[in-house]
Amino acid sequence: MDTSQDKPEPAPSKPKQVALYVTCLADLMRPSVAQASLELLQRAGCEVTVPAQQTCCGQPAYNNGDFSGAARIAQQLIENFEHFDYVVLPSGSCAGMLKEHYPKILEGHWLERANSFADRVYELTTFLVDICSYQPAKQLSAKAVAYHDSCAGLRELGIKAQPRSLLARAGIKVQELAQAEVCCGFGGTFCAKMPAISGAMADQKIQDAQDTGAETLIGGDLGCLLALAGRASRTNKDIQFRHIAEVLIGDSTTPPIAKNEAPDGAA
């Protein structure tokens, strides 16, 4: 007797409920990164919300010793984001602040909430690879690219293979830097406090990228990319800079960072 008709159909899988944390630099300096991140998460099958109450993560205050001020910001951010399944950021630096440093500056029940919250915080490329197993669309560009590993993402969160995996899945070959794990010199307020040293480190990173033959240096942290692009512009270095989210969605119309127009005269 055929009883297959009596078997209940499997319930459809529920989309992952994701809060996109835009970050200050994307909001103020490069909104295309936030838009690209949103599109990537949606393509990966996530239901994405961009909470309107989000503010700075508190990292500048924390890095300059204002731990009480950073703690107040942390509490506000946790309250606004902790009810989502996941919190995703296109920045290893800000993600590291939420995951690694909030538990260091909060106490009591706030520490418990910070630890629970940290378990749901992911940098964008890590989330797409480790949680979503995302397959990006193939990109047709044959231009050579190199990849910059930011210090916070690499050393705090172990982000190394994930961005390269996504680029490979998109058909983009990465030319590896000779000193891929060396700091670019940005370092948040370090570049303001030690401009000469910071500039020299940026020059070395830019030269390293150019030595690979790459036309574009890709990264996952806007702070590094903005600092490097600004330095390259001031020293007349012919290399482009883009965030990995922009590359993975095939954004060819937004000008490279620190450029006034897109390549080939695109708007």
Side-chain angles (χ1 to χ4, degrees), residues 69-82:
R72 290 193 295 272
I73 295 172
Q75 291 170 3
Q76 174 180 285
L77 194 147
I78 290 171
E79 283 191 329
N80 288 330
F81 281 83
E82 65 183 346

PDB file of all heavy atoms in Angstrom, residues 69-82:
ATOM      1  N   GLY A  69      33.510  55.118  27.926  1.00  0.00           N
ATOM      2  CA  GLY A  69      32.745  55.592  26.774  1.00  0.00           C
ATOM      3  C   GLY A  69      32.482  54.481  25.785  1.00  0.00           C
ATOM      4  O   GLY A  69      31.384  54.337  25.250  1.00  0.00           O
ATOM      5  N   ALA A  70      33.501  53.647  25.530  1.00  0.00           N
ATOM      6  CA  ALA A  70      33.333  52.517  24.622  1.00  0.00           C
ATOM      7  C   ALA A  70      32.316  51.523  25.167  1.00  0.00           C
ATOM      8  O   ALA A  70      31.539  50.930  24.408  1.00  0.00           O
ATOM      9  CB  ALA A  70      34.672  51.837  24.398  1.00  0.00           C
ATOM     10  N   ALA A  71      32.298  51.350  26.491  1.00  0.00           N
ATOM     11  CA  ALA A  71      31.349  50.415  27.104  1.00  0.00           C
ATOM     12  C   ALA A  71      29.906  50.886  26.918  1.00  0.00           C
ATOM     13  O   ALA A  71      29.006  50.080  26.678  1.00  0.00           O
ATOM     14  CB  ALA A  71      31.670  50.248  28.586  1.00  0.00           C
ATOM     15  N   ARG A  72      29.682  52.187  27.029  1.00  0.00           N
ATOM     16  CA  ARG A  72      28.323  52.709  26.829  1.00  0.00           C
ATOM     17  C   ARG A  72      27.863  52.480  25.382  1.00  0.00           C
ATOM     18  O   ARG A  72      26.715  52.113  25.125  1.00  0.00           O
ATOM     19  CB  ARG A  72      28.281  54.199  27.176  1.00  0.00           C
ATOM     20  CG  ARG A  72      28.424  54.491  28.664  1.00  0.00           C
ATOM     21  CD  ARG A  72      28.058  55.935  28.984  1.00  0.00           C
ATOM     22  NE  ARG A  72      28.978  56.884  28.360  1.00  0.00           N
ATOM     23  CZ  ARG A  72      30.113  57.308  28.925  1.00  0.00           C
ATOM     24  NH1 ARG A  72      30.486  56.844  30.106  1.00  0.00           N
ATOM     25  NH2 ARG A  72      30.881  58.194  28.312  1.00  0.00           N
ATOM     26  N   ILE A  73      28.781  52.686  24.446  1.00  0.00           N
ATOM     27  CA  ILE A  73      28.453  52.434  23.039  1.00  0.00           C
ATOM     28  C   ILE A  73      28.172  50.953  22.828  1.00  0.00           C
ATOM     29  O   ILE A  73      27.232  50.578  22.114  1.00  0.00           O
ATOM     30  CB  ILE A  73      29.610  52.902  22.136  1.00  0.00           C
ATOM     31  CG1 ILE A  73      29.768  54.420  22.226  1.00  0.00           C
ATOM     32  CG2 ILE A  73      29.378  52.474  20.692  1.00  0.00           C
ATOM     33  CD1 ILE A  73      31.005  54.955  21.517  1.00  0.00           C
ATOM     34  N   ALA A  74      28.975  50.093  23.454  1.00  0.00           N
ATOM     35  CA  ALA A  74      28.794  48.649  23.314  1.00  0.00           C
ATOM     36  C   ALA A  74      27.416  48.213  23.814  1.00  0.00           C
ATOM     37  O   ALA A  74      26.737  47.404  23.174  1.00  0.00           O
ATOM     38  CB  ALA A  74      29.897  47.917  24.078  1.00  0.00           C
ATOM     39  N   GLN A  75      27.005  48.743  24.942  1.00  0.00           N
ATOM     40  CA  GLN A  75      25.697  48.383  25.494  1.00  0.00           C
ATOM     41  C   GLN A  75      24.570  48.780  24.544  1.00  0.00           C
ATOM     42  O   GLN A  75      23.631  48.012  24.303  1.00  0.00           O
ATOM     43  CB  GLN A  75      25.513  49.059  26.863  1.00  0.00           C
ATOM     44  CG  GLN A  75      26.419  48.511  27.944  1.00  0.00           C
ATOM     45  CD  GLN A  75      26.395  49.352  29.210  1.00  0.00           C
ATOM     46  OE1 GLN A  75      25.652  50.342  29.306  1.00  0.00           O
ATOM     47  NE2 GLN A  75      27.207  48.983  30.180  1.00  0.00           N
ATOM     48  N   GLN A  76      24.672  49.963  23.991  1.00  0.00           N
ATOM     49  CA  GLN A  76      23.649  50.438  23.059  1.00  0.00           C
ATOM     50  C   GLN A  76      23.608  49.560  21.818  1.00  0.00           C
ATOM     51  O   GLN A  76      22.528  49.184  21.332  1.00  0.00           O
ATOM     52  CB  GLN A  76      23.945  51.885  22.678  1.00  0.00           C
ATOM     53  CG  GLN A  76      23.026  52.450  21.602  1.00  0.00           C
ATOM     54  CD  GLN A  76      23.366  53.892  21.271  1.00  0.00           C
ATOM     55  OE1 GLN A  76      23.064  54.803  22.038  1.00  0.00           O
ATOM     56  NE2 GLN A  76      24.020  54.112  20.146  1.00  0.00           N
ATOM     57  N   LEU A  77      24.780  49.208  21.303  1.00  0.00           N
ATOM     58  CA  LEU A  77      24.821  48.409  20.088  1.00  0.00           C
ATOM     59  C   LEU A  77      24.274  47.003  20.329  1.00  0.00           C
ATOM     60  O   LEU A  77      23.518  46.461  19.516  1.00  0.00           O
ATOM     61  CB  LEU A  77      26.255  48.350  19.566  1.00  0.00           C
ATOM     62  CG  LEU A  77      26.438  47.847  18.131  1.00  0.00           C
ATOM     63  CD1 LEU A  77      27.628  48.539  17.481  1.00  0.00           C
ATOM     64  CD2 LEU A  77      26.629  46.343  18.081  1.00  0.00           C
ATOM     65  N   ILE A  78      24.642  46.412  21.449  1.00  0.00           N
ATOM     66  CA  ILE A  78      24.144  45.079  21.767  1.00  0.00           C
ATOM     67  C   ILE A  78      22.619  45.088  21.870  1.00  0.00           C
ATOM     68  O   ILE A  78      21.944  44.192  21.342  1.00  0.00           O
ATOM     69  CB  ILE A  78      24.783  44.565  23.076  1.00  0.00           C
ATOM     70  CG1 ILE A  78      26.267  44.269  22.848  1.00  0.00           C
ATOM     71  CG2 ILE A  78      24.061  43.309  23.575  1.00  0.00           C
ATOM     72  CD1 ILE A  78      27.037  43.971  24.118  1.00  0.00           C
ATOM     73  N   GLU A  79      22.057  46.080  22.521  1.00  0.00           N
ATOM     74  CA  GLU A  79      20.598  46.171  22.643  1.00  0.00           C
ATOM     75  C   GLU A  79      19.921  46.243  21.286  1.00  0.00           C
ATOM     76  O   GLU A  79      18.846  45.665  21.079  1.00  0.00           O
ATOM     77  CB  GLU A  79      20.219  47.396  23.486  1.00  0.00           C
ATOM     78  CG  GLU A  79      20.412  47.208  24.972  1.00  0.00           C
ATOM     79  CD  GLU A  79      19.783  48.340  25.771  1.00  0.00           C
ATOM     80  OE1 GLU A  79      19.739  49.479  25.240  1.00  0.00           O
ATOM     81  OE2 GLU A  79      19.347  48.097  26.911  1.00  0.00           O
ATOM     82  N   ASN A  80      20.529  46.930  20.343  1.00  0.00           N
ATOM     83  CA  ASN A  80      19.913  47.114  19.030  1.00  0.00           C
ATOM     84  C   ASN A  80      20.092  45.911  18.100  1.00  0.00           C
ATOM     85  O   ASN A  80      19.317  45.759  17.143  1.00  0.00           O
ATOM     86  CB  ASN A  80      20.502  48.362  18.350  1.00  0.00           C
ATOM     87  CG  ASN A  80      20.034  49.655  18.991  1.00  0.00           C
ATOM     88  OD1 ASN A  80      18.931  49.718  19.526  1.00  0.00           O
ATOM     89  ND2 ASN A  80      20.869  50.677  18.944  1.00  0.00           N
ATOM     90  N   PHE A  81      21.086  45.062  18.381  1.00  0.00           N
ATOM     91  CA  PHE A  81      21.419  44.001  17.430  1.00  0.00           C
ATOM     92  C   PHE A  81      21.255  42.576  17.972  1.00  0.00           C
ATOM     93  O   PHE A  81      21.244  41.635  17.177  1.00  0.00           O
ATOM     94  CB  PHE A  81      22.860  44.164  16.948  1.00  0.00           C
ATOM     95  CG  PHE A  81      23.052  45.219  15.896  1.00  0.00           C
ATOM     96  CD1 PHE A  81      23.193  46.555  16.241  1.00  0.00           C
ATOM     97  CD2 PHE A  81      23.103  44.883  14.549  1.00  0.00           C
ATOM     98  CE1 PHE A  81      23.386  47.524  15.272  1.00  0.00           C
ATOM     99  CE2 PHE A  81      23.292  45.841  13.574  1.00  0.00           C
ATOM    100  CZ  PHE A  81      23.427  47.168  13.932  1.00  0.00           C
ATOM    101  N   GLU A  82      21.140  42.396  19.269  1.00  0.00           N
ATOM    102  CA  GLU A  82      21.257  41.047  19.812  1.00  0.00           C
ATOM    103  C   GLU A  82      20.076  40.130  19.491  1.00  0.00           C
ATOM    104  O   GLU A  82      20.180  38.912  19.657  1.00  0.00           O
ATOM    105  CB  GLU A  82      21.467  41.092  21.332  1.00  0.00           C
ATOM    106  CG  GLU A  82      20.304  41.659  22.115  1.00  0.00           C
ATOM    107  CD  GLU A  82      20.612  41.749  23.607  1.00  0.00           C
ATOM    108  OE1 GLU A  82      21.600  41.134  24.069  1.00  0.00           O
ATOM    109  OE2 GLU A  82      19.869  42.456  24.323  1.00  0.00           O
TER     110      GLU A  82
END
